[in-house]
Amino acid sequence: MSLINRRSFLATAAAASAALSAPMVLAQGRPKVIVIGGGAGGATAARYIAKDSDGAIDVTLIEPTRQYYTCFFSNLYLGGFWEYENLGHSYGTLASEYGINVVHDWAVGVDRDAKTVSLAGGHTLPYDRLIIAPGIDFVDGSVPGWDISAQARMPHAYKAGSQTQLLKHQVESMREGGTFAMVAPPNPYRCPPGPYERVSMVAHVLKERNPTAKILILDPKANFSKQALFEDGWSRHYDGMIERIGPDFGGGNVEVRPEAMEVVIDGEVQAVDVCNVIPAQKAGRIAHLAGVTDEGGWAPVTPTDMRSRVDDSIFVLGDSSNQGAMPKSGFSANSQAKVAANNVRADLTGSRVFPARYSNTCWSLIGTDDGIKVGASYEPGTDQIESVSSFISAVGEDAGLRQRTYEESIGWYEGITADIFG
Amino acid sequence: MHRFGLILIATLAGVLAAPAIAQTQIRAEALGDPESGQTVFLRDCAFCHQIGSDARNGVGPQLNRIYDRGAGSIDGFNYSPGLRRMGVDGLVWTYETLDAYIANPRALVSGTRMSYRGLRDEQERHDLLAYLRAYSDQPQNIPESAPTARPTLPELSTDTLQIVGDPEYGEYLSGECITCHQRSGADQGIPSIVGWFEEDFVVALHAYKQGLRPHPVMQMMASRLDDEQIAALAAYFASLNE
């Protein structure tokens, strides 16, 4: 990109966004990092690189939405435990306090030879290091009868925002005694306990508003995350309301008919009132366009630094990465981002590299004041990130501990969102 | 008795070196319910073990004064070589070691002859241990004496406390903490760790590492921090202001 093009881009972008200001004009000669995706992985990485390099690195964050709604805690919004506004976060602090150039646009291409990223708006930005953290996309055709055009009738609500609002509205306005169906995803997918926490939250709403309603989970997996804890909680809070059909009974052979509001389970047609379809998942689109994904649809990375196995100048974070034992979660992405940020800075400024340390904890809410958690710490293994120790809540814990666990999850939400968005 | 010795040593260390905080503080805790423990004893133990005024060795050794007794130390009882060896190696029956042995005998003592599959129910073990205590330990009614008294602060050498932390390393490591504990010092649901005295910070993390503080996430986090890393984190967080 020539200087003139760059300046004209700056002028346009500055007009469009107050976020762009002095730091980028002064950026001549500084090494450039582009981060694609402003979620738990990308925004954390951008913030840590900018913060710890004290202006020595020019950081650009590309994220299409101005207001980012976290997927984590969106189930609590469905259940009425969290306000929608409190899921939303803006990028103002990253721009004003950390000097990050926040560009609200879609990244639509990566030229790895020229080391540039092209944007839907027509601009092309150069990078020295690129961080790809676009989250998930859905695998076309994984649920027969469903594609993205059906998301208004059968929402996925697996990228938070208007989809989450739509699903909440559908649940709350469901006819008396109706059926809520969930088509659960196959592994691997974002937030392993997420679908089951969601079922808990929907059950909580229905128990209050529509107690004769039923919940049907159609699940291609034989087992799921925190299964014993959820099933114990469901029998205590929502006895008889929730039925799960696993793969042995056709839960893996499901077709949906959005127009008719029907699901077909192993050939049996059933009418439903609300249908939450969570399709099979793969890395976000830009990871595929950049050519850093494998045949499984995820981007393989080295366990010591989250660096792409395909390209040394690229790091892939969070849900899109294929890293080993860590679950796809906001906590994991945030943890991985700090390791990558440390290595990106070392690449570009020669700062100290510290050994990689990763961790994850997933809190879930089953009912009022009934919180559970699972977590582990991780280290780089020979080929993959490996778990070194773990813990999980126990069935039969006393109510006080469950309440503290829930309160702790709220503290965690405040903590991690401050760590991501500044 | 060894607990009193420990306090004495810790107190001396406190006088000689600086931080008195390194002392192992002892606090009495309620054990389980001895009446329920008797039920467990009669159900699971009484076929082989006797306890009380007329207790004698039978298939298993009598269990009077089991607390603070060296493993395999009753003269004339035919212990397994494995248990005898553990006794020689220094295994003493304390609340912790008895708890582990009863939970899974073979996991603690290889080749033990106690053919008991183990008691997995934690509450039942606590009750049983409370029952055994009624026949054990002199003076048994002083709450501060073992086994009711438990340490609440970790045992730390003065060397550990004198490590000077590297705040830059601490800042990197703090990434793991900041995900939950806010840099701003806000403490909703999760306590603030900003602006602590370094020694308090070091002692708290070692207390998690040694299992004296109970939180599972913190125990996991602390379990893989070495002394240098704990000192580095303490130095970093002490440098922050709320």
Side-chain angles (χ1 to χ4, degrees), chain A residues 138-226:
Chain A
F138 300 125
V139 176
D140 289 340
S142 65
V143 179
W146 192 92
D147 64 29
I148 205 72
S149 70
Q151 69 173 0
R153 290 187 67 80
M154 293 188 171
H156 55 80
Y158 230 61
K159 298 177 188 180
S162 58
Q163 275 279 298
T164 323
Q165 292 178 299
L166 174 63
L167 185 62
K168 183 176 172 70
H169 174 75
Q170 290 183 350
V171 169
E172 289 174 354
S173 53
M174 192 166 86
R175 75 175 171 86
E176 194 181 332
T179 297
F180 170 97
M182 168 188 280
V183 180
N187 291 321
Y189 62 96
R190 160 180 283 181
C191 189
Y196 310 97
E197 180 186 55
R198 174 171 295 175
V199 162
S200 308
M201 294 294 92
V202 170
H204 174 78
V205 170
L206 294 177
K207 186 181 174 185
E208 305 257 308
R209 303 170 68 110
N210 191 349
T212 57
K214 294 287 179 199
I215 296 176
L216 184 61
I217 309 170
L218 307 172
D219 204 332
K221 302 182 296 300
N223 301 296
F224 61 88
S225 172
K226 303 182 191 168

Side-chain angles (χ1 to χ4, degrees), chain A residues 76-297:
Chain A
L76 270 61
Y77 159 70
L78 281 177
F81 291 95
W82 201 251
E83 295 298 321
Y84 185 71
E85 296 71 46
N86 293 341
L87 293 174
H89 303 271
S90 80
Y91 297 94
T93 309
L94 293 184
S96 61
E97 281 195 27
Y98 297 92
I100 296 168
N101 309 308
V102 181
V103 177
H104 294 299
D105 201 345
W106 287 93
V108 292
V110 175
D111 183 335
R112 298 210 322 256
D113 295 327
K115 289 195 178 177
T116 57
V117 174
S118 49
L119 304 181
H123 298 286
T124 301
L125 308 179
Y127 66 82
D128 295 296
R129 289 293 179 275
L130 173 63
I131 294 176
I132 300 181
I136 53 156
D137 262 337
F138 300 125
V139 176
D140 289 340
S142 65
V143 179
W146 192 92
D147 64 29
I148 205 72
S149 70
Q151 69 173 0
R153 290 187 67 80
M154 293 188 171
H156 55 80
Y158 230 61
K159 298 177 188 180
S162 58
Q163 275 279 298
T164 323
Q165 292 178 299
L166 174 63
L167 185 62
K168 183 176 172 70
H169 174 75
Q170 290 183 350
V171 169
E172 289 174 354
S173 53
M174 192 166 86
R175 75 175 171 86
E176 194 181 332
T179 297
F180 170 97
M182 168 188 280
V183 180
N187 291 321
Y189 62 96
R190 160 180 283 181
C191 189
Y196 310 97
E197 180 186 55
R198 174 171 295 175
V199 162
S200 308
M201 294 294 92
V202 170
H204 174 78
V205 170
L206 294 177
K207 186 181 174 185
E208 305 257 308
R209 303 170 68 110
N210 191 349
T212 57
K214 294 287 179 199
I215 296 176
L216 184 61
I217 309 170
L218 307 172
D219 204 332
K221 302 182 296 300
N223 301 296
F224 61 88
S225 172
K226 303 182 191 168
Q227 182 163 359
L229 291 161
F230 278 116
E231 289 178 347
D232 165 70
W234 293 345
S235 68
R236 282 186 293 111
H237 297 290
Y238 318 115
D239 195 26
M241 180 180 270
I242 300 166
E243 182 190 359
R244 177 172 168 270
I245 298 179
D248 290 350
F249 297 91
N253 180 20
V254 172
E255 177 193 337
V256 298
R257 296 173 178 167
E259 287 309 316
M261 284 308 287
E262 290 171 348
V263 294
V264 187
I265 309 157
D266 227 7
E268 296 277 322
V269 177
Q270 172 153 4
V272 296
D273 298 276
V274 176
C275 189
N276 175 207
V277 176
I278 309 174
Q281 296 163 23
K282 60 182 180 181
R285 185 158 181 267
I286 190 66
H288 299 275
L289 294 174
V292 295
T293 50
D294 59 21
E295 66 282 357

